[in-house]
Amino acid sequence: STVSVSIPTSLLVEVGEDVAVVLTAFERTAEDQVSPEGSTVQVRGLLEVQIRSLSNPSNIREVSGLKEPVILTLGVAAESTLSCGYYDEQARRWTSSGVAVVPGEPGEPLVCASTHLSLFGGISRGFTAALLCSQAQLLTARGLTKIVQTSWYKTLAGKLFSGFLAMTIG
């Protein structure tokens, strides 16, 4: 899927030197990430945006507090369960604070607006994120061990699951 970034001209003028805008898109979903509330979220369409000086490419320019937002098109379709977010390196968590979803048509890519540069992504919260994360972990040895450590396997749902698993494996 296509990713893109629209950088305001005012940012390039403000920097005042020749720079390279570096985009790094990741195809893989970041599973089991932590939100500011401490809940588990899934992050899709990861896109990192950096500005580097051409005279010293190892120097990544810190960009924040822009008057005009940077517009980011992430490589995932917009859904009602996705919000725009970025990875807050200081808090070591994903947050949506200061990043907004740009309204668009259903099925089109998720578009975000931000006044800083960072690692961005579409944060999936709530039931969808929990379901996707739990399905990925459930049938691992670790997941099955955790089920047995609870009393859930004694409930009707647990017994049905155990029967289904036995029929599938056997």
Side-chain angles (χ1 to χ4, degrees):
S1 50
T2 304
V3 299
S4 67
V5 175
S6 176
I7 306 257
T9 307
S10 59
L11 169 59
L12 300 176
V13 170
E14 184 180 310
V15 170
E17 67 175 308
D18 290 338
V19 295
V21 178
V22 180
L23 306 179
T24 308
F26 301 89
E27 288 184 16
R28 293 193 57 148
T29 297
E31 305 280 352
D32 297 328
Q33 300 297 301
V34 179
S35 73
E37 301 82 29
S39 62
T40 300
V41 295
Q42 183 183 71
V43 186
R44 298 185 284 160
L46 296 163
L47 177 63
E48 185 172 34
V49 184
Q50 299 175 336
I51 291 189
R52 295 178 179 257
S53 168
L54 288 181
S55 62
N56 182 5
S58 64
N59 181 22
I60 300 171
R61 300 289 300 255
E62 184 73 27
V63 177
S64 62
L66 298 172
K67 293 176 184 155
E68 296 177 69
V70 173
I71 306 299
L72 309 125
T73 302
L74 304 181
V76 294
E79 300 172 5
S80 61
T81 60
L82 285 180
S83 61
C84 294
Y86 72 96
Y87 187 74
D88 183 334
E89 290 185 29
Q90 290 181 331
R92 301 176 86 174
R93 295 171 183 248
W94 285 90
T95 182
S96 296
S97 178
V99 184
V101 173
V102 176
E105 297 297 318
E108 290 189 357
L110 179 62
V111 179
C112 307
S114 173
T115 57
H116 73 284
L117 298 183
S118 184
L119 174 60
F120 299 93
I123 299 175
S124 182
R125 299 177 187 273
F127 178 74
T128 302
L131 180 63
L132 291 172
C133 290
S134 66
Q135 286 178 338
Q137 300 286 325
L138 187 59
L139 296 178
T140 65
R142 183 176 170 212
L144 293 171
T145 301
K146 284 186 176 185
I147 289 173
V148 176
Q149 293 172 349
T150 69
S151 60
W152 178 83
Y153 71 95
K154 296 177 184 176
T155 67
L156 176 60
K159 290 176 182 177
L160 290 172
F161 173 74
S162 298
F164 171 76
L165 189 59
M167 287 182 359
T168 304
I169 294 173

